[in-house]
Amino acid sequence: MVRIALVLLLSLIAPAAALAQSGEKPVSIVLVHGAFVDGSGWKAVFDTLTNEGYEVLVVQNPTISLSGDVAATHQVIAAARHPVILVGHSYGGMVITEAGDNPKVRGLVYIAAFAPDSGESVASLAEQKPPKGETAAPLLPPHDGYLLVDPSKFPGAFAADVDASITRFMAAAQVPWGLEAVQTKITKVAWKAKPSHFMVTTKDSMIPPTFQRAFAKRAGATTMEIDSSHAVMLSHPREVAAFIETASRTK
């Protein structure tokens, strides 16, 4: 019995010792992108957090259906070595609200994102008229079941504080957003059970700042405001990384 107990004790101590020796933080960060873009927009945030000792994983959402994006996120969560801080930008907030129900997820971080309640969809949330002085996303009419941002308006609406050569390319390289993803209603609301943090972008022309503040207040989220466009992970990656780090230290 003594020998069995010793073996069990060593099996618990060894992974912790290896983690301490490697310098890796005991939490994994999973980054979930939004509509019209892919996971490459997280690169600067990824680099900063990786250099700080975190395991960082990036979800590549197809953005065809909400269920498909949630499934893709669950696959990445399963691959994480540690408890997960789940981060969603923009439409990625819909995804993490549903996928954050995963027992491996410890906390949620919304970055200029939707933070829906049960029964809400992007479509239902977007029906609200933006407050005076704020604007809605300049979307083109649906085509073959998908949405795009008007390419001529994309740079100013999505990332006005990012280099124009980058935003012109982003406009041309948009990933079509499926109407199924836009219209599907949320059934699980992770922020009701888990700590959440919300970064509000005050110069956002895709999701009005007033809406973001309302999402954050409803979720009881720890909130930070930043003078940024919607693409805050591109224009202020260090601040975004620091905000995620703060969330990772919340018990």
Side-chain angles (χ1 to χ4, degrees), residues 89 111-112 199 201 226 228-237 240:
H89 174 250
I111 306 292
M199 178 177 276
T201 42
I226 185 168
S228 172
S229 73
H230 190 60
V232 63
M233 68 289 190
L234 296 177
S235 57
H236 297 86
V240 172

Side-chain angles (χ1 to χ4, degrees), residues 140-226:
L140 295 174
H143 180 71
D144 292 337
Y146 292 89
L147 290 172
L148 289 171
V149 177
D150 183 337
S152 67
K153 297 178 180 177
F154 185 101
F158 199 93
D161 49 2
V162 177
D163 186 271
S165 65
I166 295 174
T167 56
R168 283 195 298 268
F169 174 78
M170 291 172 68
Q174 289 183 67
V175 179
W177 191 16
L179 288 178
E180 187 176 344
V182 176
Q183 295 168 351
T184 299
K185 296 177 180 178
I186 290 291
T187 59
K188 298 175 182 177
V189 185
W191 53 256
K192 290 186 176 181
K194 299 182 181 183
S196 61
H197 288 65
F198 201 113
M199 178 177 276
V200 174
T201 42
T202 62
K203 289 188 174 180
D204 202 309
S205 296
M206 295 294 290
I207 303 178
T210 297
F211 291 1
Q212 294 182 41
R213 294 184 186 105
F215 294 148
K217 182 178 180 180
R218 179 172 66 177
T222 299
T223 305
M224 169 188 173
E225 298 204 0
I226 185 168

